[in-house]
Amino acid sequence: MTAEELLKKVRLIEFKSKRKINSLFLGEYHSSFKGVGMTFSEVRQYQYGDDVRKIDWNKTARFNEPFVKIFEEEREMISMILIDISASMNFGTRKQFKNDTVAEISATLAFSAIKNNDKVGLILYSDKIESFIPPKKGNSHVVRMIKEILETEPKPAQTNLNLVFDFLLKTIKRKSNIFLISDFDIPNFERSLSIVTKKHDITGIRVYDDIEKIFPNIGLVKFKDLETGKIQWINTSSSKIREEYSKYYAMLVTRVENTFTKNGAGFLNIPTQGDYIKVLFNYFKGHH
């Protein structure tokens, strides 16, 4: 991709993302992810039903009647977008490649965050941390993130989520909204996920292509594992092989989803050819 083509693609994704973030979507995003702290706002006279723990005893003693402290939620949050850039993410057969869908989803989440006056940051990972952009505000910051996502070449390596979670805990100290994007064809990561969910709010976003669910009947085909480089021939005309693959795939998806829900984390499945805005909207609506 030339510099000109890259810029054109970045601008297109920026335009599409901003157009899709309507007031309804932003409202759902805002109410889904509330601030984590409370700031002192004012003192007023006690009213029936007020929490007695909030009584301002100094003012109460001075005026000989009860007063309470009023607090407001700190609205500003941090959102971190963590993206798997291992080679399996560079795959697609219908509408577009997984990594194109990932760039659009990330841009939508990032622009929603800054519209909400939140900071947003980015981590690109494979078997190591490939790129880290610390959380900031601003349109130009999000454009830089999109450019980084599109510019980074997929890595022929297996994903190491344990390393990513360790880096996240060391780097982002304040409780944040974490969007973890991958196809989750990943070895066991449940233990490290359970540690991170105690500190941050996590949503797993699984991006997949429909062809991955069901092998098409196209005869004897040579397959190359994009992450390991291993090559093998598979007879796709065998109904038994296709059936076994479908069972394995369904089991893999269920296992990943259960890993997230068991640890109190959110989980979404988004196909490359689907309407990701509708999936995100429904998720935020149910996340209140």
Side-chain angles (χ1 to χ4, degrees):
M1 198 186 306
T2 66
E4 192 180 336
E5 287 170 338
L6 176 66
L7 185 62
K8 192 176 176 183
K9 201 165 185 179
V10 168
R11 294 301 179 197
L12 178 64
I13 288 175
E14 180 186 7
F15 172 75
K16 282 172 76 174
S17 303
K18 284 181 174 176
R19 193 185 59 189
K20 288 177 176 180
I21 304 169
N22 55 38
S23 57
L24 192 61
F25 180 76
L26 268 176
E28 297 301 339
Y29 180 95
H30 176 91
S31 52
S32 296
F33 302 110
K34 296 180 173 66
V36 291
M38 303 295 282
T39 54
F40 174 71
S41 175
E42 61 176 319
V43 175
R44 64 159 168 76
Q45 285 181 302
Y46 178 85
Q47 295 172 4
Y48 178 76
D50 283 341
D51 188 342
V52 293
R53 290 172 298 180
K54 292 178 181 174
I55 290 176
D56 184 331
W57 293 107
N58 288 335
K59 195 150 188 173
T60 297
R62 197 182 319 147
F63 291 95
N64 213 21
E65 61 177 309
F67 280 81
V68 290
K69 292 177 181 178
I70 305 301
F71 293 85
E72 286 183 352
E73 184 182 58
E74 279 185 342
R75 190 30 254 164
E76 185 183 284
M77 286 284 290
I78 292 173
S79 288
M80 289 298 300
I81 300 171
L82 281 53
I83 301 175
D84 180 356
I85 57 160
S86 59
S88 63
M89 293 297 286
N90 190 30
F91 176 78
T93 56
R94 302 276 180 91
K95 188 180 172 187
Q96 61 184 6
F97 284 99
K98 285 184 202 172
N99 47 13
D100 289 327
T101 303
V102 165
E104 289 187 21
I105 293 168
S106 302
T108 302
L109 291 170
F111 281 122
S112 296
I114 62 164
K115 278 268 188 187
N116 225 28
N117 202 35
D118 296 342
K119 291 178 180 177
V120 62
L122 177 72
I123 297 173
L124 303 181
Y125 64 90
S126 56
D127 60 342
K128 63 179 187 289
I129 304 301
E130 302 286 352
S131 182
F132 170 55
I133 298 179
K136 277 176 65 177
K137 296 181 183 181
N139 244 40
S140 59
H141 176 67
V142 175
V143 169
R144 180 192 166 201
M145 285 171 52
I146 301 168
K147 187 170 177 287
E148 188 77 13
I149 294 165
L150 294 173
E151 230 175 2
T152 307
E153 289 290 322
K155 308 297 175 185
Q158 291 200 317
T159 307
N160 186 343
L161 265 185
N162 298 320
L163 178 143
V164 179
F165 287 149
D166 187 52
F167 177 80
L168 180 72
L169 288 170
K170 287 175 181 172
T171 313
I172 307 298
K173 300 295 185 183
R174 183 177 163 188
K175 184 175 181 178
S176 304
N177 298 316
I178 310 299
F179 297 99
L180 182 67
I181 305 176
S182 176
D183 54 9
F184 293 105
D185 187 7
I186 297 168
N188 184 36
F189 57 92
E190 184 173 351
R191 188 175 171 277
S192 53
L193 177 68
S194 69
I195 294 167
V196 176
T197 50
K198 288 179 174 67
K199 174 77 185 285
H200 300 292
D201 285 329
I202 294 195
T203 301
I205 300 177
R206 178 178 161 269
V207 177
Y208 68 95
D209 189 286
D210 261 352
I211 201 172
E212 293 174 288
K213 292 197 287 189
I214 301 168
F215 250 126
N217 183 354
I218 49 176
L220 195 63
V221 180
K222 182 168 73 172
F223 282 91
K224 180 181 180 181
D225 188 310
L226 292 169
E227 295 185 359
T228 63
K230 185 181 175 185
I231 292 172
Q232 60 179 322
W233 288 88
I234 294 176
N235 183 11
T236 63
S237 59
S238 164
S239 59
K240 187 184 176 188
I241 286 175
R242 293 201 308 275
E243 191 179 325
E244 280 177 0
Y245 172 80
S246 294
K247 282 180 183 173
Y248 166 77
Y249 183 85
M251 182 194 72
L252 178 73
V253 174
T254 303
R255 192 187 75 204
V256 171
E257 188 162 356
N258 287 345
T259 299
F260 276 85
T261 52
K262 194 163 79 174
N263 285 286
F267 189 78
L268 299 171
N269 280 298
I270 299 181
T272 54
Q273 68 283 1
D275 182 0
Y276 64 85
I277 285 291
K278 187 186 285 185
V279 177
L280 289 173
F281 175 78
N282 289 336
Y283 174 69
F284 291 147
K285 194 171 184 179
H287 196 70
H288 298 177

